[in-house]
Amino acid sequence: MGLLSAPWSLLPSGTFLAMLALFFTVFVLILDFMKRRRSWSRYPPGPTSLLPFFGNIFEVDFNRFPEYCDRLRKTYGDVFSLQTCWENVVIINGLKSVKEGLITKSDDTSDRPTELLTKKYGFKESNSGVVFARYGQTWKDIRRFSLSTLRDFGLGKKSLAERVTEEAGFLCSAFKSKGGCPFNPHLMIHNAVSNMICSIVFGDRFKYDDNNFLKVLAGFEDLLKANSGLRAELMNVIPALIYIPGVASGLFRAQENIFDFLRDIITEHKKTYDPNMKRDFIDAFLEEVEKEKGDPNSSFCELNLLLTVADLFSAGTETTSTTLRFGLLYMILYPDIQTKVQEEIDQVIGRERQPTMDDRANMPYTNAVVHEIQRFSDIVPLGAPHKTSRDTEVNGFFIPKGTTLMFNLSSLLKDESIWARPYQFYPEHFLDADGQFIKQDAFMPFSAGRRVCLGEQLARMELFLFFTIFLQQFTFSVPKKQPRPSEEPIGSIVRAPTPYQLCADVR
């Protein structure tokens, strides 16, 4: 032992420490190189990651991520790669490649990366609700149950359409109460849309002046902001950062407030639960928990109830309410289009009868406008992240198991080879030469494949009925002496309208 240590003891202490630091640095750099090297042939090209450990993460423009992806697409093609620390990310663009990845290779690409919330609270990856759960038996069980139960409580049925119409009536009354004066419709629309999923999941709705509920809705928006950007991405790839004081400050506060709100509702349901009377989704889930009590492999537990309810609550609120806000923004910016919609409503429905989903088939222009609102607003440009559950190929490129995938839906909705005026609001994108509505393959705002949006049917129903009722009863305009609102959205991962005011004049 003395012989081995003798040579080092002859060195000055500073030199020894410097050599030790050099050895450690070289070792870590070699480890980093081994972790990040891409030995696969036909792996998608992408920008070189020059920074050790961090890869491309500091080069990514998270504030304008879709535009950043468009720039890289012009250089590297429809399928390209990035590296965030030691995580491989592949961005898939264009109709052909997106359809192959989402539909043809759906079995290979339907997994999810472990979300930040799971890393923070140590949930089992299988117990992550229905939107972000890993692709496996638990996810299949919960999704199948959720779809079946949502149908039981009216999804896709006339009864739910009647509830949407009723809620739209409450919202129109709130608009009328403004007396034609300028107001921001944001919170009222948010509350009304949320009430639809609340009526199915909780069996209740909330008044537009319920401050506690408004705080919860605001929490969802705070959550989206907190989970977008460089800080959240760094914590996703380096989970240890979560536990460093100050780094994650405020990041989970909104989520915890939402969980507290939902826990209170679930607790109240448990107190009043009657197995002979299912009132809503929560009761139906509690019934499954009771049935499978004692089965250690059961997908149904109270944690998964909380997370599934949170998923349905957020997914059933944010995107639809944001789309409707964009819709009213476009109507005040393009009054000629608003007038044409109103003319069709007057002709087909009139001003007295309430619209129904059956009317949509006879209203091609209104239907085209609703679709164009979704296309042009481009709410979730890259959808939710996917992950490969096994080695696969897309567009001839090899993508290994465990790779995070981002499907650039914006590359479809704004494709210059498909849409006549991709960067303009132009309802004729969905009309043929005879003015009849036409479907477009590139219209995928709800994504596609096994992970297609669970609430697509509800969202389509809400968008048509709310929008048609709005324009049946009101003419919307830019308030006098106010500048023309901006069309430019705010946000990147999830986009929303720049805040605006409007006037709603009763027709």
Side-chain angles (χ1 to χ4, degrees):
M1 186 68 183
L3 289 175
L4 289 173
S5 60
W8 299 107
S9 65
L10 298 177
L11 294 173
S13 60
T15 304
F16 171 70
L17 290 174
M19 291 182 67
L20 187 62
L22 178 62
F23 173 79
F24 179 75
T25 301
V26 171
F27 172 78
V28 171
L29 287 173
I30 292 172
L31 178 63
D32 174 64
F33 173 77
M34 297 297 291
K35 289 282 287 184
R36 294 198 292 137
R37 68 179 182 146
R38 297 164 178 173
S39 57
W40 315 292
S41 61
R42 296 183 294 110
Y43 186 74
T48 303
S49 54
L50 299 177
L51 282 176
F53 318 119
F54 295 107
N56 305 116
I57 197 165
F58 291 116
E59 303 161 27
V60 176
D61 186 353
F62 288 103
N63 293 322
R64 297 182 64 82
F65 193 53
E67 292 79 6
Y68 173 78
C69 290
D70 288 341
R71 292 197 300 272
L72 292 185
R73 183 187 181 193
K74 291 174 182 176
T75 303
Y76 299 106
D78 281 350
V79 182
F80 62 84
S81 63
L82 295 170
Q83 194 157 42
T84 57
C85 296
W86 290 338
E87 183 176 352
N88 296 307
V89 180
V90 170
I91 315 291
I92 299 178
N93 309 265
L95 182 58
K96 176 179 175 293
S97 297
V98 169
K99 287 180 73 174
E100 182 182 359
L102 283 176
I103 301 172
T104 309
K105 302 293 178 64
S106 189
D107 275 341
D108 303 346
T109 64
S110 293
D111 203 1
R112 291 279 197 229
T114 304
E115 61 172 336
L116 192 57
L117 199 65
T118 302
K119 294 171 181 174
K120 165 68 174 175
Y121 294 106
F123 299 150
K124 292 181 180 178
E125 292 185 345
S126 59
N127 290 342
S128 296
V130 67
V131 174
F132 291 102
R134 298 296 300 275
Y135 185 61
Q137 191 57 48
T138 295
W139 173 78
K140 292 176 183 178
D141 291 343
I142 298 295
R143 185 177 174 92
R144 189 184 304 114
F145 167 82
S146 297
L147 280 170
S148 173
T149 305
L150 290 173
R151 290 192 190 104
D152 289 344
F153 286 101
L155 187 63
K157 297 179 182 178
K158 185 177 180 181
S159 59
L160 186 59
E162 290 170 350
R163 272 191 270 177
V164 174
T165 302
E166 181 184 32
E167 188 64 45
F170 292 129
L171 184 55
C172 287
S173 295
F175 284 0
K176 288 176 184 176
S177 71
K178 300 299 180 181
C181 296
F183 69 99
N184 185 335
H186 180 171
L187 291 179
M188 286 183 283
I189 291 176
H190 209 171
N191 198 329
V193 171
S194 186
N195 274 341
M196 296 316 306
I197 196 66
C198 288
S199 68
I200 297 173
V201 177
F202 308 152
D204 202 0
R205 65 179 296 276
F206 296 87
K207 294 182 179 180
Y208 300 152
D209 59 357
D210 187 321
N211 288 326
N212 287 332
F213 189 61
L214 291 175
K215 287 178 183 177
V216 171
L217 294 179
F220 277 113
E221 296 187 352
D222 292 340
L223 191 61
L224 288 174
K225 293 174 185 174
N227 282 278
S228 302
L230 178 61
R231 181 175 65 149
E233 187 58 36
L234 274 171
M235 283 188 283
N236 258 318
V237 295
I238 312 175
L241 293 175
I242 295 171
Y243 306 103
I244 298 176
V247 174
S249 177
L251 193 61
F252 299 99
R253 188 178 301 121
Q255 183 68 66
E256 288 165 356
N257 291 339
I258 292 166
F259 278 170
D260 288 343
F261 171 78
L262 296 177
R263 283 191 189 101
D264 288 344
I265 292 176
I266 292 170
T267 299
E268 188 60 33
H269 271 68
K270 288 167 67 178
K271 290 178 182 177
T272 57
Y273 172 68
D274 181 350
N276 298 314
M277 184 181 67
K278 284 191 291 188
R279 297 163 294 183
D280 47 40
F281 183 92
I282 292 177
D283 276 356
F285 202 107
L286 287 172
E287 182 180 60
E288 293 300 310
V289 172
E290 190 65 28
K291 279 182 188 176
E292 302 195 13
K293 186 182 291 184
D295 179 358
N297 298 316
S298 173
S299 303
F300 296 90
C301 61
E302 290 194 19
L303 175 58
N304 237 346
L305 169 58
L306 173 67
L307 296 175
T308 301
V309 167
D311 280 347
L312 293 175
F313 186 33
S314 58
T317 298
E318 283 299 326
T319 53
T320 303
S321 64
T322 303
T323 303
L324 285 171
R325 286 161 53 209
F326 269 116
L328 291 185
L329 173 64
Y330 299 147
M331 291 305 97
I332 66 175
L333 294 178
Y334 301 98
D336 54 329
I337 293 176
Q338 179 176 197
T339 299
K340 290 180 71 173
V341 172
Q342 290 173 326
E343 288 172 352
E344 187 174 67
I345 290 171
D346 291 348
Q347 180 182 350
V348 176
I349 302 171
R351 298 195 190 180
E352 301 300 326
R353 177 174 70 81
Q354 291 182 328
T356 69
M357 289 305 295
D358 293 337
D359 292 319
R360 186 170 59 176
N362 300 315
M363 301 174 68
Y365 190 78
T366 303
N367 197 15
V369 170
V370 171
H371 279 69
E372 181 66 358
I373 291 168
Q374 289 182 272
R375 185 202 70 82
F376 190 59
S377 60
D378 195 9
I379 302 294
V380 190
L382 281 95
H386 289 233
K387 193 171 187 176
T388 51
S389 54
R390 58 192 179 199
D391 293 352
T392 191
E393 288 190 9
V394 174
N395 200 17
F397 290 102
F398 173 75
I399 303 175
K401 177 182 177 179
T403 301
T404 296
L405 301 177
M406 301 293 291
F407 289 92
N408 189 356
L409 304 180
S410 186
S411 72
L412 279 58
L413 299 176
K414 302 289 174 67
D415 191 326
E416 295 180 5
S417 68
I418 296 173
W419 310 99
R421 303 178 186 178
Y423 299 103
Q424 295 180 30
F425 185 74
Y426 187 63
E428 284 75 9
H429 284 139
F430 294 93
L431 297 170
D432 63 17
D434 298 321
Q436 296 303 304
F437 180 80
I438 52 172
K439 294 181 179 180
Q440 297 281 8
D441 283 348
F443 182 75
M444 289 189 193
F446 299 102
S447 193
R450 297 189 184 279
R451 291 282 188 168
V452 66
C453 176
L454 188 67
E456 179 177 354
Q457 277 187 294
L458 175 60
R460 288 183 181 276
M461 180 186 292
E462 288 179 304
L463 289 173
F464 177 77
L465 290 176
F466 272 115
F467 182 76
T468 303
I469 290 170
F470 288 165
L471 269 66
Q472 181 190 43
Q473 298 198 24
F474 300 97
T475 295
F476 298 95
S477 60
V478 177
K480 292 179 181 178
K481 298 182 180 179
Q482 285 196 19
R484 174 186 168 93
S486 172
E487 286 185 48
E488 284 297 309
I490 56 176
S492 178
I493 306 301
V494 178
R495 290 175 161 174
T498 300
Y500 67 92
Q501 289 192 324
L502 51 70
C503 292
D505 295 307
V506 178
R507 296 182 67 206

